Amino acid sequence: MNNHKDAIVVKDLVKKYGDFTAVDGISFEVKKGELFGILGQNGAGKTTTLEIIETLKPLTSGEVWVEGFNATDSPWEVKKRIGVQLQSAGFYPELTLVELINMFAALYNVHVDARALLKKVDLEEKAGAYVNKLSGGQKQRFAVMSTLINKPSILFLDEPTTGLDPHARVSLWETIEEIKKSGVTIVLTTHYLEEAEKLCDRVAIMDSGKIIKIGTPNELIKELLAGGFRRKIVRQEATLEDVFLHLTGKTLDE
Ligand code: ATP
């Protein structure tokens, strides 16, 4: 146990797979209640970093602390405090949403109000439905909700909106913002810069296993502009994504 005031502290973290260095000496802290984004292209090392913090993978060197507990020495103390987004493929297809929530609650040995949880993610009407009858966006919202069953203080969301259409993405953003408001610390990875700009208090930009920059989205943009950067084309007032959302207001698969 150590007295870190931060939710997460990562110090000089290295992860090697044989000769290949996937995470190359990264350090960062995540403050309590913060929504922290890790941005990077495919293969940058985002998932590996998350899985080490979640105690699902051993590190090669460095230190990881979660709410004052060392992830290598006290993995169970870490596991108790975190929620990890499950992929919907992992849900039993023959159980309804309410039955799934009750099953997870039984596994965690906690009491939850399944319908209240479903309401939180706007799935109240689907309480008796099977997961494979949900749309992509609904499945993702259910997956995010399922991480809240053990009442974690830190949530890890690995590319939560990948593959979703624009409306479903915006709806999941609202869910994530609601969860943040309840005081949960959130670490999220994404390829979508717009998502990071909208949701994250601070972002770490990761490239080839290294963190090349950390700051608030505003700070990073200001710094870029202060360095003389100007867009070649002036930013549009609205995007095609805005047009699509404005016209349809619903997901394509609903
Ligand atoms: P994505 O956005 O595609 O999920 P990522 O940033 O999450 O990418 P990681 O999944 O962390 O990237 O992978 C980082 C690097 O480590 C990649 O080059 C990947 O091929 C490699 N890697 C990941 N897992 C293993 C493994 N078990 N064995 C060997 N190499 C691996």
Side-chain angles (χ1 to χ4, degrees):
M1 180 77 188
N2 106 350
N3 284 326
H4 285 299
K5 58 183 182 338
D6 294 313
I8 298 169
V9 177
V10 172
K11 241 194 239 170
D12 305 323
L13 177 65
V14 173
K15 176 67 182 181
K16 291 188 187 212
Y17 296 110
D19 289 340
F20 178 71
T21 305
V23 176
D24 195 3
I26 64 171
S27 299
F28 62 93
E29 293 91 41
V30 180
K31 295 171 194 154
K32 287 198 175 128
E34 186 172 41
L35 204 163
F36 188 84
I38 304 179
L39 294 181
Q41 292 185 316
N42 286 330
K46 307 179 298 293
T47 302
T48 302
T49 302
L50 244 54
E51 288 177 347
I52 292 170
I53 304 172
E54 292 159 358
T55 76
L56 299 176
K57 264 190 185 152
L59 48 76
T60 304
S61 64
E63 288 174 28
V64 172
W65 299 86
V66 175
E67 292 200 328
F69 289 96
N70 185 284
T72 309
D73 302 337
S74 313
W76 288 103
E77 294 296 343
V78 173
K79 285 184 211 288
K80 264 195 264 175
R81 290 165 169 80
I82 65 172
V84 176
Q85 180 192 356
L86 293 168
Q87 294 305 318
S88 50
F91 294 124
Y92 296 103
E94 66 272 26
L95 296 180
T96 66
L97 300 195
V98 165
E99 286 167 346
L100 279 168
I101 294 172
N102 288 334
M103 181 194 74
F104 283 125
L107 287 175
Y108 289 124
N109 201 19
V110 292
H111 291 287
V112 292
D113 180 345
R115 283 181 190 270
L117 276 175
L118 288 172
K119 191 168 178 207
K120 241 185 193 175
V121 290
D122 208 15
L123 286 175
E124 229 180 343
E125 285 168 18
K126 299 283 175 185
Y130 297 100
V131 173
N132 56 8
K133 292 285 183 298
L134 300 180
S135 72
Q138 290 169 339
K139 271 184 200 155
Q140 289 290 77
R141 294 210 300 277
F142 184 73
V144 170
M145 185 233 69
S146 72
T147 64
L148 299 173
I149 294 172
N150 65 332
K151 303 184 172 83
S153 49
I154 306 176
L155 202 57
F156 293 91
L157 305 175
D158 198 1
E159 296 181 15
T161 65
T162 294
L164 297 185
D165 64 60
H167 184 268
R169 179 169 301 147
V170 170
S171 160
L172 191 54
W173 288 350
E174 285 166 8
T175 301
I176 293 170
E177 280 175 333
E178 281 302 311
I179 296 170
K180 177 182 153 65
K181 271 191 211 153
S182 71
V184 176
T185 305
I186 302 173
V187 181
L188 154 133
T189 69
T190 183
H191 303 276
Y192 302 114
L193 298 171
E194 189 203 352
E195 177 162 303
E197 201 173 331
K198 165 107 179 68
L199 289 179
C200 297
D201 297 315
R202 284 190 310 142
V203 296
I205 297 179
M206 212 170 164
D207 192 29
S208 307
K210 292 189 193 311
I211 289 181
I212 51 177
K213 201 87 192 170
I214 298 184
T216 70
N218 259 340
E219 276 167 11
L220 299 188
I221 291 166
K222 270 193 196 149
E223 200 178 312
L224 180 71
L225 292 174
F229 174 90
R230 292 293 174 269
R231 274 183 168 228
K232 292 199 179 71
I233 301 166
V234 176
R235 192 179 168 82
Q236 289 167 280
E237 297 279 311
T239 64
L240 188 58
E241 192 160 295
D242 299 322
V243 174
F244 182 87
L245 264 172
H246 186 72
L247 291 176
T248 66
K250 52 167 86 122
T251 63
L252 291 172
D253 52 355
E254 266 178 340

